[in-house]
Amino acid sequence: MKANPHRLASCLLAASVAIALGACSNATPPQASNSAAPAASTAPASAATAAAAPAAKADVVAANVDSSVNPGDDFFSYANGAWLKKNPIPASEATWGIGKLVQEELYGKLRKISEDAAAKKDAAAGSDEQKIGDFWSTAMDDGLAERQGLAPLKPELDRIDAIKDAPGALDEAFALQPLGIDALFDFGVQQDEKQSDVMAVHLSQGGLGLPERDYYFNTEAGVAKVRAAYVAHLQHMFKLLGENDAAASASADKVMAFETALAKVSRPLADLRDPQKNYNKMSPAELTRKYTPGVAWNQQLQAWKLDPSYVIVGQPEFFGGLQKLLAQTPVPVLRDYLRVHLVDGYAATLSKPFDDEHFDFYGRALTGQQEQQPRWKRALRAENGAIGMILGRIYVQDYFPAKAKQRYNDLVEAIRNAYGARIKKLDWMSPATQAKALEKLAAVTKKVGYPDKWKDYSALQIGRDSWAQNEMNARRWAFNDQVSKFGKPVDRSEWDMTPQTYNAYYNPSNNEIVLPAAQFMVPGFQDDEIDDAVVYGYAAASTIGHEITHGFDDEGRQFDAKGNLADWWTKDDAQKFTQRANVLVKQFDAYEPLPGLHINGSASLGENMADLGGVLIGLDAFKQTAEYQKGGKIAGYTPLQRFFFGYALGWIFEERDAMLRQSLLSDVHAPAKWRVNGPLSNIPDFYQAFDVKPGQAMWRDAKDRVQVW
């Protein structure tokens, strides 16, 4: 069961940049020291960073500079261009950049953990080593997958084949939810946004095979091509499931028509960012009566041992539309829809024809990836998704010492202090709202490195029957774990990312920032090889400042210090905030990364605001350091220049056009280039550092610059 991706946690990275070995996703950050008295060198503190390099190692940022580009025209290409020219995207990847290099290091460490566990013949049943070893060995056994074919899914496929009417299709959609298949809708047990100490049932739109609803309607040529490829993919899947050419083609067209109708009643991406409009509290009986007379929600939820007095419905009109669709759709089409979503959801664990067909669309057509990654990398990604916290316990023991955790705890406080000072100086915010903002800032909980309390996985069964079976067991366990939280006190110590994830997030319901251990890696460098300026740009600004700012972006600002969706702003202050935020919306709406496809300034507002706020706060903190105050140059660049280089370092990233198209349509993060050029074009210190002048592309007139935090 998945948490609703459009509420709660705001991640540092885009899905398209996802370096998560099994989590949300973004990129950035090394280490840094206490801002008041920085150590002589304060780089990423992870012991997991690369081994000592040759004495002649190039400077961490100077080596990436493309001097043929003027920084005032395109700072992203100036700061990162030399690296990008030397490092084309490998055929097995849809994207490439600094985060991928970190991922390669993580792959090596996690592969060793997995292979060591698999080689341990005397691992106790139920132990971490047994689960890791059995999952790894089974996922790597391609011969076993070939012999089994579709057999691991046969019980579910038989149930689908036995569906005789729409109610039966609904029953099966509910049965697929514990297997991680969000057929027809999405479900989760999460904190009540308006009562954060209560776990509530959430229901929201879902059930699409394409990444986002606009993929079904956008007329841009590349999107139209992807739509056609998706129909062809469905046809190929139905042929693999035993249908002849004509039947498979008819099934594909009808499923596509059904999903298009489902997309039509779904809310657009930007509308999913309004927490008030996506909070609709009602009893299960009221949901049935008003929107879905054909769905007995009380009965269905009771089958999962849930008996809530209310549910929180994200998009009531979606469920009303779903009700009508179920009534008018022929049962064979519903069977085909459920069948293909199940098989696509487990294709990577099945025999080669299913795996290859799934990759051909979701990899090659959708992202531009030219060839599959090797099986061991795919197995590791699956292992991280299924049992990542079990792996994480071993990972942090081996690669993240306690001193590193303390160092980043200190850096969070430096950023908190800098943000507090900035809030106190805001001339547009009233004293009453300032006091509330400072109260919320002081209450932000920091989670650094890894959980203080590890989750109990003793009930999870992992064996060597099949990769698909292990996946099903892990997804059922995660579903049952989430459902079990209903009616219990909220566990605010829980993490939604594993320690070995190169990403970070802010959760408004807990008013917390979560910074996994792997997020502090700088590939190829040890801690003492990076100066404070780069670290404050790369870690303090791009990660810590970014995540804290999420608590005060267009969505996060609507939650109070205790994590409740509540209005703590004066009416006048809220209006001023919105006016200033709209300047940022307008700025990003104007960017056109692909012909005919602009960045969605409204959908990406929260991330863009977090980027801008993060740089400003990180810069304030950096100005307190000895390196900034001394002003000496390193590799020919001033401390201020190196700070901005450090920020750009976290966004060394390139992607294929297909992947870029996907992110523009379905991601709330702007592409990497504009996450550098966009915020920096609003910062006077950047103009000073690189002598940016009127007429250059990075120049914005003072009246057009965004001034929020």
Side-chain angles (χ1 to χ4, degrees), residues 313-335:
V313 183
Q315 304 79 32
E317 75 281 3
F318 169 82
F319 286 92
L322 174 61
Q323 167 74 39
K324 294 175 182 177
L325 272 174
L326 289 173
Q328 66 190 33
T329 303
V331 173
V333 177
L334 296 176
R335 284 199 296 260

Side-chain angles (χ1 to χ4, degrees), residues 101 131 161 233 289 452 462 550 579 632 666:
L101 299 184
K131 289 173 181 174
D161 289 341
H233 164 68
R289 184 177 67 256
D452 293 326
I462 298 294
H550 268 311
Q579 289 172 344
S666 63

Side-chain angles (χ1 to χ4, degrees), residues 35-55:
S35 68
S41 178
T42 53
S46 170
T49 49

Side-chain angles (χ1 to χ4, degrees), residues 367-688:
T367 73
Q369 190 177 340
Q370 296 172 12
E371 62 186 42
Q372 284 259 42
Q373 290 183 333
R375 189 178 184 91
W376 71 268
K377 287 187 177 181
R378 289 179 281 139
L380 267 182
R381 290 185 69 85
E383 187 177 346
N384 269 276
I387 56 173
M389 278 298 182
I390 297 177
L391 269 172
R393 283 198 288 248
I394 298 176
Y395 172 82
V396 297
Q397 289 174 8
D398 294 345
Y399 301 111
F400 193 70
K403 64 180 181 179
K405 185 169 184 172
Q406 183 57 52
R407 185 175 287 173
Y408 285 100
N409 272 309
D410 292 343
L411 185 55
V412 171
E413 296 310 316
I415 292 298
R416 194 196 306 264
N417 291 336
Y419 204 176
R422 180 167 283 272
I423 289 172
K424 293 174 184 177
K425 295 177 183 177
L426 293 176
D427 59 4
W428 60 268
M429 183 180 282
S430 69
T433 303
Q434 278 186 358
K436 291 289 188 181
L438 291 169
E439 176 189 352
K440 180 172 182 177
L441 178 65
V444 172
T445 299
K446 61 179 184 289
K447 295 179 178 178
V448 177
Y450 51 87
D452 293 326
K453 180 179 71 174
W454 295 93
K455 186 180 287 287
D456 180 7
Y457 285 84
S458 59
L460 172 59
Q461 298 295 313
I462 298 294
R464 300 206 177 191
D465 291 340
S466 72
W467 183 1
Q469 188 61 58
N470 283 337
E471 279 285 349
M472 284 188 276
N473 289 353
R475 295 185 194 185
R476 284 191 188 278
W477 181 91
F479 180 91
N480 292 335
D481 177 66
Q482 196 167 162
V483 168
S484 73
K485 298 173 186 176
F486 183 77
K488 296 178 182 177
V490 173
D491 182 1
R492 295 182 185 265
S493 69
E494 192 168 8
W495 283 50
D496 290 331
M497 281 183 181
T498 67
Q500 65 272 23
T501 297
Y502 187 61
N503 202 355
Y505 68 91
Y506 171 79
N507 181 351
S509 289
N510 279 347
N511 191 25
E512 66 181 4
I513 58 171
V514 182
L515 310 166
Q519 181 63 10
F520 303 122
M521 294 173 63
V522 177
F525 287 85
Q526 294 194 45
D527 297 350
D528 59 359
E529 295 177 318
I530 306 177
D531 57 301
D532 287 345
V534 172
V535 167
Y536 272 79
Y538 182 64
S542 185
T543 298
I544 300 171
H546 173 102
E547 297 306 337
I548 285 183
T549 304
H550 268 311
F552 304 88
D553 68 19
D554 62 306
E555 186 175 9
R557 76 171 189 86
Q558 299 182 60
F559 292 78
D560 65 17
K562 294 182 179 179
N564 294 312
L565 185 57
D567 191 0
W568 49 271
W569 292 65
T570 68
K571 184 177 180 180
D572 185 55
D573 287 341
Q575 184 178 11
K576 289 177 179 177
F577 175 93
T578 301
Q579 289 172 344
R580 291 164 183 267
N582 284 340
V583 179
L584 194 59
V585 172
K586 182 179 179 181
Q587 176 187 341
F588 276 82
D589 275 342
Y591 294 135
E592 188 178 6
L594 286 174
L597 286 179
H598 288 247
I599 295 173
N600 187 328
S602 296
S604 61
L605 175 59
E607 297 300 329
N608 299 332
M609 190 173 290
D611 285 339
L612 177 57
V615 176
L616 291 170
I617 302 160
L619 182 56
D620 285 353
F622 173 57
K623 287 180 177 180
Q624 305 305 310
T625 67
E627 181 177 342
Y628 176 82
Q629 293 168 6
K630 289 178 181 177
K633 290 185 177 181
I634 298 177
Y637 297 104
T638 67
L640 191 59
Q641 289 174 325
R642 291 182 67 80
F643 170 84
F644 290 114
F645 280 136
Y647 178 74
L649 176 67
W651 295 111
I652 292 183
F653 180 79
E654 54 191 330
E655 57 190 326
R656 302 187 189 279
D657 282 355
M659 190 72 244
L660 176 57
R661 180 176 292 106
Q662 179 179 337
S663 68
L664 289 171
L665 288 174
S666 63
D667 204 329
V668 296
H669 302 77
K673 178 177 179 176
W674 289 270
R675 295 187 73 172
V676 174
N677 291 352
L680 298 193
S681 69
N682 291 291
I683 300 176
D685 285 278
F686 170 73
Y687 287 49
Q688 173 193 333

Side-chain angles (χ1 to χ4, degrees), residues 191-260:
Q191 286 165 277
D192 183 331
E193 290 93 333
K194 294 189 176 182
Q195 196 174 350
S196 65
D197 58 347
V198 172
M199 299 298 289
V201 172
H202 287 74
L203 300 167
S204 60
Q205 65 189 46
L208 302 179
L210 288 170
E212 210 275 327
R213 57 98 60 197
D214 283 355
Y215 261 93
Y216 293 84
F217 308 114
N218 193 292
T219 58
E220 189 263 342
V223 181
K225 185 177 180 181
V226 168
R227 272 198 301 274
Y230 181 54
V231 175
H233 164 68
L234 293 173
Q235 181 180 359
H236 296 156
M237 275 295 192
F238 286 123
K239 287 179 68 176
L240 289 174
L241 287 167
E243 295 185 6
N244 61 37
D245 286 349
S249 179
S251 293
D253 288 341
K254 291 174 183 176
V255 168
M256 183 60 172
F258 176 76
E259 289 191 18
T260 302

Side-chain angles (χ1 to χ4, degrees), residues 103-113 376 380 399:
Q103 188 179 45
E104 292 298 305
E105 290 190 16
L106 291 171
Y107 274 139
K109 295 172 173 62
L110 297 172
R111 184 177 187 176
K112 183 179 187 305
I113 291 171
W376 71 268
L380 267 182
Y399 301 111

Side-chain angles (χ1 to χ4, degrees), residues 180-191:
I181 307 298
D182 66 337
L184 302 181
F185 63 92
D186 201 5
F187 160 87
V189 175
Q190 299 156 336
Q191 286 165 277

